[in-house]
Amino acid sequence: MRENDRVTSATRQPETPASSKLSTSLEQGETPTVRPRLIATDLDGTLLRDDKSVSPRTVAALAAAEEAGIEVFFVTGRPARWMDVVSDHVHGHGLAICGNGAAVVDLHGGPGSHRFVKVRELARENALDAVRLLRDAAPGTMYAVEQTYGFHQEPDYPKLHMETPDELASAEDLLAADGPGAGEPVLKILAYHHTLDPDAFLTLARLAIGDRANVTRSSPSALLEISGPGVSKASTLALCCAERGISNEEVVAFGDMPNDVEMLTWAGRSYAMGNAHPDVIAAASGRTVANNEDGVAVVIEELLAERC
């Protein structure tokens, strides 16, 4: 989801972060042992510039990677209906991981015609438990509910997203068995607090909710995203790679916020953006320049040069 045009998403911190490297390039004389077969990149704050554009340099790098036989996966917290920002840059298979791993979407149909290939929903029982536990731990928390096609929120939930909610009601009513969109999977819930520090809110929520759901953040404000147990960018990417016979060592990943930490830790090579959160820098095996400086394109160009 977006808050002031930024995406939020859901992963847990890795137990053992990889060491960081403060360079976009391989160390002099270092030879990669595994050639990449798949590039997995976050969108907001990573592939996209701050104005939400994809630079000509990045467009060319993505096309060159696909031409070289390297698959490109967009791995984002955005819902499928917000993927028009990259619809013009779909090559090859055209699949994207949306909602922080809650859905795999075929983008070939274009905006409004995306096909859900895989859905990893948040059970309503788990969602209701998460709401209850977090309300007790952080009074004043407000909620919104993201489904495959619908978006609903509580009346007091602030207007953080660029759309009008389909329904206004309490989270408990929105998540009831006979609530709005009852026949439609819940992908995640969003939790907002107007006074708590974002990282402190994330820690508190993880402790309060435990294994009932997966909690993360990528917003600069105290806005969390809560997905099904075990659902993250990393776990869904691992499923997609297994289906293709691609190992984690053959994956190169990019990200900038805590929702990317698991994915960056799982991938054989990973890069924190120059604008990345400190936890992302600690988790990634490498570092590139900021999103506004085309950090993803810089690394892709180097990867392709290695193959020559």
Side-chain angles (χ1 to χ4, degrees), residues 21 32 36 64 106 135 153 205 232 244:
K21 186 191 300 180
D106 186 341
R135 279 203 201 280
Q153 68 179 57
S232 69
R244 289 159 175 75

Side-chain angles (χ1 to χ4, degrees), residues 131-244:
V131 167
R132 174 180 55 81
L133 292 166
L134 192 51
R135 279 203 201 280
D136 291 343
T141 301
M142 295 163 278
Y143 297 93
V145 177
E146 179 75 59
Q147 295 184 271
T148 43
Y149 295 100
F151 176 74
H152 318 293
Q153 68 179 57
E154 294 189 316
D156 292 336
Y157 185 90
K159 187 173 177 57
L160 300 174
H161 315 291
M162 300 190 308
E163 61 186 318
T164 302
D166 300 310
E167 297 284 345
L168 292 175
S170 70
E172 289 79 2
D173 287 342
L174 293 173
L175 294 166
D178 59 352
E184 186 182 338
V186 173
L187 298 185
K188 60 186 176 181
I189 55 177
L190 297 103
Y192 176 80
H193 202 284
H194 69 288
T195 60
L196 290 176
D197 171 80
D199 284 325
F201 190 31
L202 175 60
T203 299
L204 182 152
R206 285 175 170 169
L207 290 172
I209 294 171
D211 62 2
R212 297 300 291 160
N214 199 19
V215 187
T216 195
R217 79 170 190 88
S218 72
S219 169
S221 66
L223 177 65
L224 307 180
E225 290 188 57
I226 303 171
S227 302
V231 175
S232 69
K233 290 185 176 185
S235 62
T236 301
L237 178 61
L239 290 174
C240 292
C241 287
E243 292 170 354
R244 289 159 175 75

Side-chain angles (χ1 to χ4, degrees), residues 63-124:
E66 293 272 7
E67 180 68 22
I70 303 174
E71 292 191 63
V72 177
F73 263 78
F74 301 127
V75 187
T76 178
R78 288 176 178 243
R81 62 185 179 277
W82 289 355
M83 293 300 289
D84 57 303
V85 70
V86 290
S87 290
D88 291 338
H89 313 298
V90 172
H91 305 279
H93 57 81
L95 296 181
I97 295 172
C98 297
N100 305 307
V104 180
V105 181
D106 186 341
L107 302 180
H108 280 124
S113 301
H114 302 136
R115 179 174 64 89
F116 284 89
V117 176
K118 186 191 303 290
V119 172
R120 304 180 69 196
E121 65 182 289
L122 170 62
R124 288 173 184 261

Side-chain angles (χ1 to χ4, degrees), residues 5-84:
D5 280 344
R6 289 190 62 83
V7 170
T8 64
S9 43
T11 63
R12 289 188 183 277
Q13 303 283 357
E15 294 183 3
T16 309
S19 61
S20 63
K21 186 191 300 180
L22 301 179
S23 171
T24 61
S25 305
L26 294 172
E27 298 293 342
Q28 186 172 4
E30 181 182 347
T31 301
T33 56
V34 179
R35 300 182 79 179
R37 294 177 58 194
L38 187 142
I39 292 168
T41 179
D42 174 50
L43 294 182
D44 295 79
T46 300
L47 186 79
L48 304 180
R49 291 187 166 189
D50 287 348
D51 63 2
K52 305 308 169 188
S53 68
V54 184
S55 74
R57 181 179 182 180
T58 298
V59 170
L62 294 176
E66 293 272 7
E67 180 68 22
I70 303 174
E71 292 191 63
V72 177
F73 263 78
F74 301 127
V75 187
T76 178
R78 288 176 178 243
R81 62 185 179 277
W82 289 355
M83 293 300 289
D84 57 303

